[in-house]
Amino acid sequence: MTASEGVGRRQFLTLLGAGVAGASLPALLAGCAPGGPGTGPVSGRNRPLSAAFYQAINDLDPHGASAVDEASLLANRQIYDTLVARDGAELAPRLATSWRQPDDTTWEFTLRDGVVFHDGTKLTSADVKASLERLAASEGPQKPLWSAVDTIEAPDARTIKITTKDPLGTLLVNLTLAFILPAAQIGKGDLSRKPIGSGPFAVESFTPSSQLLLKPSATYWGGAPKLPGLRLPYIPESSTRMTSLQNGEVDVTWIIPPDELKRLGGVNGVKIESKPGVNYFLAWFNCGKKPFSDPRVRRALHHALDIKNIVSSLYGDAAAVMDAPIPSAVFGHAPQQPYDYDPDLAKRELAEAGFGSGIRTSMMWFKDTGPLATELAQSIISAWAKVGVVVEPQQIEKAAWLKRLTALDWEIELQVNTVTTGDADYTLGRLYTSEANRMGYKNKELDGILAKAKSTSDQDERKSLYGQACEIIWRDAVGVFPAALSSTYGLRSTVAGFVPAANSQPEFHTVSTAG
C-alpha cells in the first residue's frame, strides 16, 4: 500500500525526503494533471477538482466482480445512488424517502419523486427492481448479502417491496451497496465503461487503470454539484501523490503514509483532515491447529505484545490501538479490556499449556496488505521471540496468500481488513461463524448470537448482540487486533466542503474550490 514495504523505517524516511525534494513527476502524472496532458497545475474555478487514490479504478459496473473494491466504490458513490446511505452511525434516506416493515420478512420502500438518470429518463420502481434482481443473481462479491432475498416486487412506480426467506436485519445496511441502474441499460449498455446512473456526477471519459473524468449532473435530485468536474487519476506511488498534492497538481489525496503526516501538516497550502476509519490490521491464529487450538497459548501471545508502543512507534497519529475485533467507527463495536503487556505472564501461561520449552511457528502476509505491514510483522515476531515463540516470516504474493488463507494452510496470518458497510455483520457475521470456518475457530454460542443479530431489525438489539460477540472473540483471543488505520486525507487549502469518509469513499457533491 505504501512505498515503505520492504525497506526500514529510517530508509523510508530518507527515500521520501529525497523524492519530495528532487523528483520530477512521471509521464503518467503529467497526463493526469488537472489542466490536461502535460499542462501542469491549472488555477481557477473552471478546472475539474483532481482527487487521487492509490488504487486503480478498473470497472464501473456496480454489480460486477470489482463491486466492493475500494476504488470501484469510490467511483460508484459519485455516479450512482442507493435507496439508503450511511450517515455516520445512522442509516439515512437517499432514493428511498421512507421504509417500513409490515412483518419480519417484508420491507416496503417509498421512492423519491422526480429522480432522473443522466440520460434524462425518470427513475422508477422498475429500475430498482431490475437492479436488485441483477445484484441478487450475480456471481460477484455481493452475492452472499442477497442470498436471503425471496422476491422483489414493484406494485407501483414509487413502491418497492422486498420479501426475504427469513428475517434479515441487515437488509438496510446491504442496500447501502446496492447501486441503481436504468432497467433499459441492464444487459444492453456497456456498464463497465459507459454506465448511466442518477448520482451527482456523470461519466465524461474513462480509461481503466488510468483516470476517470466526471462532469456534474445538473438534474441531480440533491442539487447540481458545485464543482465544474471531478478527475480521479490513478497514482499508485505514495511519494508521487504527496508531491503532486504539495505542488498543487492534485487537490485531494488519500491514504497518507504515516511518516508523511507530520511533514505535510507544515506545508503551506496543504491541510490534513482525518477521522477514525474502518480499515484495520488483524493477525489471526489458526485455531484449528496446535498449538493455537489452545486458547491459553493465544492469550499468552497477546500478553507478550506491547501493542500500544508498537502502534505508536510505527504509525503515530495515523492509527489507533484497537480495543475490540472491529474498529470503533463500526456499528456494533464494543470496547474490551486490553490484554496487559506482561512477558513473564506470557511465559507462565505457555508453560501451563505445555509449551515451556517454546514454540516454532510461522506467519504469512502479502507485501501490499497495508502501510508498514512488513515492519508491523517484524515487530510482532521480535516480541514473541522474547518469550520463546520463534516465528518464521513468510511474505508471499497475494495470490498465494489468498489460496493458503482459504485452505487454512497457515498458522498465523497478518492482513488489513475493511468493514465495507460500516456494520459489524459484514465482518463478525461473515467471518467468525463456525460455518464460515475462516480461522479454524468454532463457537456455538457465538454462532447463535451472530444469527440473532442478523435476523433482528431492532438496531439497539443488534448493537447489544454485536457487543456480546466482540467480548467472546476478544476473550477467546482468536487473533491479535493491533491497529485501526485512521482515514486521513490531504487537501489543498482551496478545497471547501469536503467531508472525510471513514471507508475511503468520500463523496464530492458538496465540495467546492476557492481558486
mmCIF file of all heavy atoms in Angstrom, residues 6 18 38 86 137 186 228 268 287 323 331 340 354 361 381 424 428 453-454 461 471 476 478 480 498 515:
data_model
loop_
_atom_site.group_PDB
_atom_site.id
_atom_site.type_symbol
_atom_site.label_atom_id
_atom_site.label_comp_id
_atom_site.label_asym_id
_atom_site.label_seq_id
_atom_site.Cartn_x
_atom_site.Cartn_y
_atom_site.Cartn_z
ATOM 1 N N GLY A 6 9.188 -3.286 2.488
ATOM 2 C CA GLY A 6 10.464 -3.857 2.085
ATOM 3 C C GLY A 6 11.667 -3.005 2.456
ATOM 4 O O GLY A 6 12.797 -3.397 2.218
ATOM 5 N N ALA A 18 13.984 12.428 -0.204
ATOM 6 C CA ALA A 18 14.645 12.636 -1.489
ATOM 7 C C ALA A 18 13.640 12.782 -2.605
ATOM 8 O O ALA A 18 13.785 13.625 -3.495
ATOM 9 C CB ALA A 18 15.584 11.457 -1.783
ATOM 10 N N GLY A 38 0.090 17.121 -19.816
ATOM 11 C CA GLY A 38 1.308 17.904 -19.940
ATOM 12 C C GLY A 38 1.209 19.362 -19.573
ATOM 13 O O GLY A 38 2.166 20.111 -19.723
ATOM 14 N N ARG A 86 -25.366 5.466 4.487
ATOM 15 C CA ARG A 86 -24.912 5.609 5.869
ATOM 16 C C ARG A 86 -24.533 7.054 6.130
ATOM 17 O O ARG A 86 -23.788 7.661 5.370
ATOM 18 C CB ARG A 86 -23.717 4.690 6.144
ATOM 19 C CG ARG A 86 -23.257 4.742 7.599
ATOM 20 C CD ARG A 86 -22.282 3.651 7.925
ATOM 21 N NE ARG A 86 -22.882 2.337 7.967
ATOM 22 C CZ ARG A 86 -23.664 1.878 8.955
ATOM 23 N NH1 ARG A 86 -23.955 2.669 9.977
ATOM 24 N NH2 ARG A 86 -24.154 0.679 8.921
ATOM 25 N N ALA A 137 -28.719 -12.003 -8.421
ATOM 26 C CA ALA A 137 -28.411 -13.126 -9.309
ATOM 27 C C ALA A 137 -26.961 -13.159 -9.734
ATOM 28 O O ALA A 137 -26.509 -14.134 -10.346
ATOM 29 C CB ALA A 137 -29.300 -13.053 -10.553
ATOM 30 N N ILE A 186 -29.585 -2.438 -18.477
ATOM 31 C CA ILE A 186 -29.132 -3.732 -17.980
ATOM 32 C C ILE A 186 -29.196 -4.772 -19.102
ATOM 33 O O ILE A 186 -30.227 -4.986 -19.720
ATOM 34 C CB ILE A 186 -29.977 -4.173 -16.773
ATOM 35 C CG1 ILE A 186 -29.731 -3.233 -15.594
ATOM 36 C CG2 ILE A 186 -29.650 -5.614 -16.380
ATOM 37 C CD1 ILE A 186 -30.589 -3.506 -14.378
ATOM 38 N N PRO A 228 -16.985 22.113 -11.272
ATOM 39 C CA PRO A 228 -17.185 22.045 -12.725
ATOM 40 C C PRO A 228 -16.861 20.666 -13.277
ATOM 41 O O PRO A 228 -17.210 20.348 -14.412
ATOM 42 C CB PRO A 228 -16.197 23.077 -13.265
ATOM 43 C CG PRO A 228 -15.122 23.150 -12.235
ATOM 44 C CD PRO A 228 -15.808 22.947 -10.916
ATOM 45 N N ASN A 268 2.804 24.796 3.368
ATOM 46 C CA ASN A 268 1.910 25.903 3.053
ATOM 47 C C ASN A 268 0.946 25.505 1.934
ATOM 48 O O ASN A 268 1.341 24.944 0.914
ATOM 49 C CB ASN A 268 2.726 27.119 2.612
ATOM 50 C CG ASN A 268 1.860 28.348 2.420
ATOM 51 O OD1 ASN A 268 0.924 28.586 3.188
ATOM 52 N ND2 ASN A 268 2.162 29.134 1.403
ATOM 53 N N CYS A 287 -6.911 -21.448 14.713
ATOM 54 C CA CYS A 287 -7.383 -22.095 15.949
ATOM 55 C C CYS A 287 -7.689 -23.576 15.760
ATOM 56 O O CYS A 287 -7.981 -24.279 16.738
ATOM 57 C CB CYS A 287 -8.625 -21.375 16.464
ATOM 58 S SG CYS A 287 -8.378 -19.619 16.784
ATOM 59 N N ASP A 323 -9.389 -1.858 20.618
ATOM 60 C CA ASP A 323 -9.858 -2.415 21.880
ATOM 61 C C ASP A 323 -11.016 -3.387 21.646
ATOM 62 O O ASP A 323 -11.802 -3.671 22.544
ATOM 63 C CB ASP A 323 -10.277 -1.315 22.856
ATOM 64 C CG ASP A 323 -11.365 -0.412 22.297
ATOM 65 O OD1 ASP A 323 -11.858 -0.666 21.173
ATOM 66 O OD2 ASP A 323 -11.738 0.563 22.985
ATOM 67 N N PHE A 331 -20.432 0.170 13.373
ATOM 68 C CA PHE A 331 -21.633 -0.092 14.177
ATOM 69 C C PHE A 331 -21.524 -1.488 14.789
ATOM 70 O O PHE A 331 -21.261 -2.463 14.084
ATOM 71 C CB PHE A 331 -22.891 -0.023 13.302
ATOM 72 C CG PHE A 331 -24.157 -0.415 14.036
ATOM 73 C CD1 PHE A 331 -24.847 0.530 14.768
ATOM 74 C CD2 PHE A 331 -24.629 -1.721 14.006
ATOM 75 C CE1 PHE A 331 -26.003 0.174 15.465
ATOM 76 C CE2 PHE A 331 -25.770 -2.092 14.685
ATOM 77 C CZ PHE A 331 -26.470 -1.142 15.422
ATOM 78 N N ASP A 340 -2.960 -6.956 29.182
ATOM 79 C CA ASP A 340 -1.783 -6.293 29.752
ATOM 80 C C ASP A 340 -0.510 -6.810 29.077
ATOM 81 O O ASP A 340 -0.397 -8.006 28.764
ATOM 82 C CB ASP A 340 -1.683 -6.553 31.255
ATOM 83 C CG ASP A 340 -2.813 -5.896 32.030
ATOM 84 O OD1 ASP A 340 -3.314 -4.850 31.565
ATOM 85 O OD2 ASP A 340 -3.207 -6.448 33.079
ATOM 86 N N GLY A 354 1.851 -26.331 28.403
ATOM 87 C CA GLY A 354 2.733 -27.408 27.974
ATOM 88 C C GLY A 354 3.784 -26.987 26.967
ATOM 89 O O GLY A 354 4.410 -27.840 26.320
ATOM 90 N N THR A 361 6.791 -21.653 14.886
ATOM 91 C CA THR A 361 5.611 -21.497 14.050
ATOM 92 C C THR A 361 5.942 -20.561 12.882
ATOM 93 O O THR A 361 7.120 -20.280 12.622
ATOM 94 C CB THR A 361 4.419 -20.967 14.883
ATOM 95 O OG1 THR A 361 3.246 -20.932 14.080
ATOM 96 C CG2 THR A 361 4.701 -19.588 15.448
ATOM 97 N N ILE A 381 6.863 -10.359 15.535
ATOM 98 C CA ILE A 381 7.724 -11.544 15.563
ATOM 99 C C ILE A 381 8.855 -11.374 16.576
ATOM 100 O O ILE A 381 9.188 -12.295 17.329
ATOM 101 C CB ILE A 381 8.278 -11.826 14.156
ATOM 102 C CG1 ILE A 381 7.149 -12.325 13.237
ATOM 103 C CG2 ILE A 381 9.426 -12.834 14.204
ATOM 104 C CD1 ILE A 381 7.540 -12.425 11.776
ATOM 105 N N ALA A 424 -21.081 -4.262 11.812
ATOM 106 C CA ALA A 424 -20.361 -5.421 12.348
ATOM 107 C C ALA A 424 -20.691 -6.706 11.616
ATOM 108 O O ALA A 424 -19.848 -7.610 11.533
ATOM 109 C CB ALA A 424 -20.667 -5.586 13.831
ATOM 110 N N LEU A 428 -17.973 -9.558 11.492
ATOM 111 C CA LEU A 428 -18.218 -10.584 12.504
ATOM 112 C C LEU A 428 -19.171 -11.656 11.989
ATOM 113 O O LEU A 428 -18.914 -12.852 12.138
ATOM 114 C CB LEU A 428 -18.784 -9.944 13.779
ATOM 115 C CG LEU A 428 -17.924 -8.867 14.442
ATOM 116 C CD1 LEU A 428 -18.520 -8.464 15.777
ATOM 117 C CD2 LEU A 428 -16.485 -9.342 14.624
ATOM 118 N N ALA A 453 -28.396 -11.553 15.656
ATOM 119 C CA ALA A 453 -28.096 -10.167 15.266
ATOM 120 C C ALA A 453 -28.419 -9.925 13.800
ATOM 121 O O ALA A 453 -28.848 -8.833 13.418
ATOM 122 C CB ALA A 453 -26.627 -9.856 15.539
ATOM 123 N N LYS A 454 -28.218 -10.929 12.961
ATOM 124 C CA LYS A 454 -28.512 -10.800 11.532
ATOM 125 C C LYS A 454 -30.014 -10.766 11.271
ATOM 126 O O LYS A 454 -30.484 -10.118 10.336
ATOM 127 C CB LYS A 454 -27.874 -11.949 10.759
ATOM 128 C CG LYS A 454 -28.024 -11.852 9.247
ATOM 129 C CD LYS A 454 -27.485 -13.086 8.547
ATOM 130 C CE LYS A 454 -25.987 -13.168 8.627
ATOM 131 N NZ LYS A 454 -25.311 -12.164 7.769
ATOM 132 N N GLU A 461 -30.978 -3.688 19.620
ATOM 133 C CA GLU A 461 -30.729 -5.095 19.951
ATOM 134 C C GLU A 461 -29.525 -5.613 19.176
ATOM 135 O O GLU A 461 -28.688 -6.343 19.722
ATOM 136 C CB GLU A 461 -31.959 -5.949 19.634
ATOM 137 C CG GLU A 461 -31.779 -7.408 20.038
ATOM 138 C CD GLU A 461 -33.000 -8.261 19.746
ATOM 139 O OE1 GLU A 461 -33.947 -7.763 19.113
ATOM 140 O OE2 GLU A 461 -32.992 -9.444 20.151
ATOM 141 N N GLU A 471 -17.042 -9.387 22.768
ATOM 142 C CA GLU A 471 -16.491 -9.889 24.029
ATOM 143 C C GLU A 471 -15.996 -11.321 23.890
ATOM 144 O O GLU A 471 -14.899 -11.668 24.360
ATOM 145 C CB GLU A 471 -17.564 -9.814 25.119
ATOM 146 C CG GLU A 471 -17.072 -10.283 26.485
ATOM 147 C CD GLU A 471 -18.137 -10.213 27.556
ATOM 148 O OE1 GLU A 471 -19.292 -9.843 27.237
ATOM 149 O OE2 GLU A 471 -17.823 -10.538 28.727
ATOM 150 N N ASP A 476 -11.605 -15.041 23.715
ATOM 151 C CA ASP A 476 -11.020 -16.279 23.206
ATOM 152 C C ASP A 476 -9.747 -16.039 22.400
ATOM 153 O O ASP A 476 -9.128 -17.000 21.926
ATOM 154 C CB ASP A 476 -12.043 -17.016 22.337
ATOM 155 C CG ASP A 476 -13.105 -17.727 23.168
ATOM 156 O OD1 ASP A 476 -12.997 -17.710 24.406
ATOM 157 O OD2 ASP A 476 -14.044 -18.297 22.572
ATOM 158 N N VAL A 478 -8.978 -15.011 19.432
ATOM 159 C CA VAL A 478 -8.958 -15.639 18.103
ATOM 160 C C VAL A 478 -7.834 -15.063 17.249
ATOM 161 O O VAL A 478 -7.287 -15.732 16.375
ATOM 162 C CB VAL A 478 -10.327 -15.449 17.424
ATOM 163 C CG1 VAL A 478 -10.331 -16.002 16.015
ATOM 164 C CG2 VAL A 478 -11.419 -16.105 18.270
ATOM 165 N N VAL A 480 -4.893 -11.347 17.094
ATOM 166 C CA VAL A 480 -4.414 -10.078 17.642
ATOM 167 C C VAL A 480 -4.925 -8.979 16.723
ATOM 168 O O VAL A 480 -4.817 -9.075 15.496
ATOM 169 C CB VAL A 480 -2.882 -10.046 17.707
ATOM 170 C CG1 VAL A 480 -2.385 -8.670 18.138
ATOM 171 C CG2 VAL A 480 -2.373 -11.124 18.658
ATOM 172 N N PHE A 498 -15.414 19.606 2.000
ATOM 173 C CA PHE A 498 -15.041 18.193 1.935
ATOM 174 C C PHE A 498 -15.308 17.524 3.277
ATOM 175 O O PHE A 498 -14.982 18.068 4.337
ATOM 176 C CB PHE A 498 -13.573 18.060 1.566
ATOM 177 C CG PHE A 498 -13.099 16.632 1.482
ATOM 178 C CD1 PHE A 498 -13.294 15.891 0.328
ATOM 179 C CD2 PHE A 498 -12.468 16.027 2.558
ATOM 180 C CE1 PHE A 498 -12.871 14.575 0.245
ATOM 181 C CE2 PHE A 498 -12.033 14.715 2.492
ATOM 182 C CZ PHE A 498 -12.243 13.986 1.331
ATOM 183 N N GLY A 515 -10.320 28.688 -5.722
ATOM 184 C CA GLY A 515 -9.475 29.321 -6.722
ATOM 185 C C GLY A 515 -8.668 28.340 -7.505
ATOM 186 O O GLY A 515 -8.776 27.149 -7.307
#
